[in-house]
Amino acid sequence: MFRETMEAQAFTEDEAFAVAEVDAPTAETGEMKTAATDIESVVREHARFVFKVAYSMLRNVEDAEDAVQETFLRVHRSGDLPNVRELKSWLARIAWRVAVNRIHRRPKVEVEVLTKTSFEARAEEASAEQLLIRQEEAVLLHRLIATLPEELRHPLVLSTVDGMSSGEIGKVLGIPEASVRTRLFRARQMLKEKVSAWMGGSDGPGRS
Amino acid sequence: MVQDDPERKLDAWLDEALSRYSAAEPRAGLERRVLERLQTEKRGLSRHWWKAWAPALAAAAALIVVTVVVQNRDVSPAKTVPTEIAPAPAAPAKAAEEERHPEATAMSEIHAKPGTSSPRNSTAVQAPGPETAVSALTAPKGPGSTKAENGGARSVSSVVLSPHPGSVFPEPTPLSQQEQLAMAAVLSGLLSSEQPRIPPEDELLPQVMIQEISIRPLQEIEPI
């Protein structure tokens, strides 16, 4: 059973540096525990993942990259790197906290502006029409997710990050894995209801 | 079943949309930029490590300076000024003594040996009578004590005073021989029965004739 030193609800910046303790016999399987002591190797290995965690909250590439820099700066200053066992969860938690703080500090930006910036960074879209459709869908989804309560929104947003399991989401948010799954189910149900209600007034999302 | 199709389609759409929700990629070179930033941080910390200690060092230096200043102020040497505290209280006591025994005081001074301390010296005023506050302050007591015998050290005891300039009394200087003779002459004149002849005012001042002032009445001025 994963055991955090502090509760997720009382999350502070200092708590982000809490060393995640894991009971060795019951540690989650499938995750490589790396006693990473070299910050350079950690950066090269996890920078992209940290970026995706930050981007899922910030919805802007530049802000997410700044959050990545700030995350690794904090990791370097804390000096706890050699003592961390579950490095990926630890980094995700710091990045999440940095992103949340940045959102509170920055002025509100239009969803369309955020989404347009993110789509410009992607080069794998086949055609302009597809790019436009994806862009509209992203804007719609973002608006729908924003209407969810925070306790459902945060697990849903983290679940969109490639490579994050429900257990890791629970470690980031400080809640049990079972709670993460329950909240994800409830969030999806609410989104489907909202989309159904919206589809009732149009032909559907991104479909002409 | 029919109802499951829209539901399934919606689930599929939602899964696809959520999978693309955080699918953005960072710009090229993110790792390099992060490492450069970390190296700058390390260099900055090693170069300016002393800045973290600067406030503490400044406070310690200020504390040392304050301590030294306070200690120097406390250990300032106490100035021992041989002075006559007695003159002030002795003056009324001396006056009282002279009133009671003016003749004895004068005679003792007249018949004192040359170099004897003057009346200004508290030790000389050792008239028979009640002890005065002066004698309490004097070290060597007795009428025979002379200035010369006392030497440079006054018969008054050294009293430690605060180094305030206003409270330091000048050392009494002994009367010279001429001063002593003059004093004797004055005293002998006072004691003599003959009254000093005071010339009348007429002899002292020449007479000044002052003419009477007469004021004539104004003459009438004829109008033009």
Side-chain angles (χ1 to χ4, degrees):
Chain A
M1 179 72 70
F2 177 78
R3 185 175 65 236
E4 282 285 356
T5 57
M6 287 150 225
E7 291 297 325
Q9 296 302 323
F11 204 74
T12 62
E13 290 189 9
D14 293 335
E15 292 167 358
F17 301 108
V19 176
E21 298 177 358
V22 179
D23 289 334
T26 59
E28 288 191 4
T29 58
E31 183 171 355
M32 297 291 290
K33 294 179 189 178
T34 57
T37 57
D38 188 8
I39 185 88
E40 185 176 340
S41 62
V42 171
V43 170
R44 294 189 190 284
E45 189 178 343
H46 298 286
R48 187 170 167 272
F49 169 73
V50 171
F51 170 84
K52 287 183 176 294
V53 171
Y55 178 81
S56 66
M57 195 68 182
L58 293 169
R59 312 303 301 165
N60 179 271
V61 172
E62 285 83 8
D63 290 349
E65 289 182 354
D66 291 341
V68 170
Q69 295 236 5
E70 189 174 340
T71 299
F72 283 107
L73 274 174
R74 293 190 179 194
V75 167
H76 171 65
R77 288 169 186 166
S78 70
D80 291 333
L81 192 58
N83 304 325
V84 176
R85 292 194 176 186
E86 298 195 2
L87 184 61
K88 195 175 171 186
S89 303
W90 188 59
L91 290 172
R93 182 165 185 174
I94 298 172
W96 178 258
R97 202 61 217 168
V98 167
V100 169
N101 290 341
R102 276 183 168 265
I103 282 185
H104 291 157
R105 287 199 303 262
R106 79 177 179 190
K108 290 188 178 180
V109 185
E110 286 297 324
V111 174
E112 288 78 5
V113 174
L114 292 175
T115 312
K116 186 172 182 294
T117 308
S118 68
F119 272 85
E120 282 175 357
R122 298 165 59 185
E124 64 273 16
E125 298 299 334
S127 64
E129 183 183 358
Q130 275 190 332
L131 183 64
L132 192 61
I133 291 171
R134 299 283 186 257
Q135 195 169 347
E136 289 183 1
E137 288 178 349
V139 170
L140 172 63
L141 186 61
H142 185 78
R143 287 183 188 275
L144 293 174
I145 291 175
T147 62
L148 295 175
E150 190 173 290
E151 61 178 10
L152 301 182
R153 185 171 71 247
H154 286 180
L156 183 67
V157 163
L158 283 171
S159 70
T160 63
V161 176
D162 189 19
M164 279 206 77
S165 63
S166 54
E168 288 171 344
I169 295 172
K171 290 169 192 174
V172 171
L173 298 177
I175 56 176
E177 186 178 350
S179 299
V180 171
R181 291 179 182 151
T182 305
R183 293 184 191 188
L184 285 175
F185 178 78
R186 284 169 54 195
R188 285 179 66 92
Q189 288 296 113
M190 287 184 70
L191 280 181
K192 285 195 287 186
E193 289 171 7
K194 290 178 186 292
V195 171
S196 299
W198 180 78
M199 284 172 65
S202 66
D203 294 333
R207 304 285 186 267
S208 59
Chain B
M1 287 295 182
V2 179
Q3 290 179 356
D4 292 340
D5 280 345
E7 189 76 14
R8 281 189 180 179
K9 285 184 180 178
L10 189 54
D11 279 331
W13 175 85
L14 195 58
D15 289 339
E16 191 180 352
L18 287 173
S19 66
R20 290 194 300 268
Y21 187 76
S22 299
E25 294 291 332
R27 288 174 296 185
L30 174 63
E31 294 87 350
R32 177 179 51 80
R33 290 194 296 274
V34 171
L35 289 172
E36 283 176 0
R37 181 71 177 88
L38 288 174
Q39 285 175 4
T40 305
E41 173 91 358
K42 283 181 189 176
R43 267 187 257 116
L45 285 173
S46 61
R47 190 177 302 169
H48 299 289
W49 63 269
W50 56 269
K51 285 187 179 178
W53 291 96
L57 290 173
L63 189 64
I64 291 169
V65 167
V66 168
T67 305
V68 168
V69 168
V70 169
Q71 283 183 351
N72 286 342
R73 192 177 296 174
D74 292 342
V75 185
S76 60
K79 295 183 181 179
T80 60
V81 181
T83 180
E84 274 187 21
I85 295 182
K94 175 183 167 187
E97 283 293 330
E98 287 183 353
E99 285 179 4
R100 276 181 258 150
H101 307 282
E103 299 176 4
T105 306
M107 292 307 293
S108 66
E109 289 175 355
I110 291 170
H111 295 294
K113 295 178 182 178
T116 306
S117 53
S118 69
R120 282 179 264 171
N121 190 347
S122 59
T123 57
V125 187
Q126 291 289 338
E131 290 284 340
T132 62
V134 174
S135 60
L137 291 174
T138 60
K141 295 185 180 180
S145 61
T146 61
K147 175 68 174 77
E149 292 178 359
N150 292 339
R154 306 297 299 168
S155 56
V156 289
S157 58
S158 296
V159 179
V160 178
L161 293 177
S162 62
H164 192 272
S167 63
V168 176
F169 294 100
E171 290 189 13
T173 56
L175 287 177
S176 63
Q177 191 173 6
Q178 289 181 350
E179 288 174 342
Q180 290 175 5
L181 289 173
M183 184 66 71
V186 169
L187 290 173
S188 63
L190 289 173
L191 292 174
S192 64
S193 60
E194 291 181 7
Q195 293 294 326
R197 178 176 174 274
I198 302 173
E201 287 187 5
D202 296 342
E203 292 181 7
L204 288 173
L205 298 172
Q207 285 189 351
V208 178
M209 300 301 293
I210 300 175
Q211 215 172 18
E212 285 187 4
I213 300 173
S214 64
I215 301 173
R216 295 177 186 174
L218 288 172
Q219 293 178 0
E220 289 186 359
I221 301 171
E222 292 180 1
I224 300 172

